[in-house]
Amino acid sequence: MKFNKNLQNIKTYEAGKPIELVVREFGIEPKDIVKLASNENPCGCSPKVIDAVGAILPKMALYPDDSMIKLKNGLSARYGVQNKNVIIGSGSDQVIEFLIHAKAHNGSKILMNSITFAMYEIYAKHVGAEVIRTASQEHDLDEFYELYKKEKPEIIFICTPNNPTGDALDAAKIYDFLSKIDGDTLVVIDGAYMEYAIAKESKKEIVPKELIEKFDNVIYLGTFSKAYGLGGMRVGYGLAESKIVEELYKLRPPFNITTLSLEAASEALNDEEFVKKSITLNFEQMKRYEEFAKEQKIDIINSYTNFVTLCLNSEQDSTKISNQLLQKGMIVRNLSSYNMNAIRVTVGTHEQNSRFFELIAQYL
């Protein structure tokens, strides 16, 4: 059987191992497994969300409100934009897929950082586009601009804070970069971890309303999977000039967000106190990782997210150490697939982090 030839050079995206799989593979009790691989909120989600979702469980037999008006109204109010500037996807991943299918095609060029979110490249290859990457590990906008002038890409992806490294760009530098890009090049600002970056350093804040007002070729992406603790609900969104949103809607399937997910995200927006508490805990615990890295004499990338990237030295092997941790019930993300001898670790609760330090110290 023949398939789309564009699929031949695509590697399947490897998500963090689920707890259930580790139970089956290693016979470890679920209570003894700590998952710090997928950047989920260790605080879970707001109790108000749980109550709201529970109240609408009887509606599961009905299709969701395809206008998504309640969540759109909430996002519009939060960001000071209009509903026509909002598109909602099953995770921000789906919005990325819409963007690439709407703008790129076989022979198009898509520019991104050397190390960044893997789905940009995977979706680019779906349509036969050529991926252009920078040489720098962290986003170097001067290098981006030189490649932009040389390659004339259809789409540029800027992930800030960046996944899987955790570094973030100053908003002023991004705005300056955008001012030099022609209006027919789509620029995607992926702000999946922006809530964390803003809390740590205000000059990292990207304001979607400003983007929309200043640039009609830019879209901002956000998600409920991180700070809001709704990874299992799969809700993301894009904020852009209405003409971009109109084109993306031509690709959106009906009922792409479930009734429960829409209710959960709408309610999560209303509980700002929960988000603030989660972020405060995150950066309190991140200090422990910074101290641990210093004690162990390994590098740690300054993170503006809810995870840290530990860069191992030449005598250590990220694949070996990740597997050793896994056999002890500690799930982390090995970054060898990004050509990095490093591991990415979600910042967990105090107890989870203590367990991580205890285990990995044996292997370092």
Side-chain angles (χ1 to χ4, degrees), residues 1 67 105 107 114 166 189 199 211 226-228 233 254 277 290-292 306 320 340 342 353 361:
M1 183 181 295
S67 73
H105 49 79
S114 63
I189 306 295
L211 288 181
K226 310 306 177 185
Y228 292 96
M233 288 297 190
K277 182 179 178 181
E290 294 167 348
E291 293 168 358
F292 177 80
N306 66 341
K320 181 179 179 180
M340 294 180 69
N353 299 328

Side-chain angles (χ1 to χ4, degrees), residues 100-121:
I100 289 178
H101 281 265
K103 182 66 175 170
H105 49 79
N106 187 36
S108 293
K109 295 180 180 180
I110 299 179
L111 175 59
M112 63 191 71
N113 202 56
S114 63
I115 298 173
T116 195
F117 185 41
M119 292 308 300
Y120 305 154
E121 178 174 0

Side-chain angles (χ1 to χ4, degrees), residues 324-355:
Q324 289 172 323
L325 290 171
L326 189 61
Q327 293 173 36
K328 295 292 185 180
M330 175 62 62
I331 312 172
V332 298
R333 192 61 182 267
N334 174 25
L335 298 184
S336 62
S337 62
Y338 292 88
N339 295 317
M340 294 180 69
N341 184 30
I343 58 174
R344 190 191 69 188
V345 188
T346 306
V347 178
T349 64
H350 186 279
E351 293 75 16
Q352 289 173 330
N353 299 328
S354 294
R355 178 65 175 156

Side-chain angles (χ1 to χ4, degrees), residues 20-84:
E20 294 79 5
L21 181 59
V22 177
V23 170
R24 293 196 300 270
E25 285 189 359
F26 301 105
I28 303 173
E29 291 292 326
K31 65 181 179 61
D32 296 324
I33 297 174
V34 177
K35 185 184 178 187
L36 298 178
S38 300
N39 307 337
E40 297 147 327
N41 190 331
C43 299
C45 66
S46 164
K48 296 178 181 178
V49 170
I50 296 173
D51 291 342
V53 170
I56 65 164
L57 287 176
K59 294 185 177 181
M60 282 195 293
L62 305 175
Y63 283 111
D65 172 16
D66 200 47
S67 73
M68 307 183 193
I69 191 65
K70 183 176 180 180
L71 181 54
K72 282 187 176 179
N73 285 343
L75 288 167
S76 296
R78 168 62 55 86
Y79 290 109
V81 300
Q82 299 180 56
N83 283 11
K84 65 181 181 180

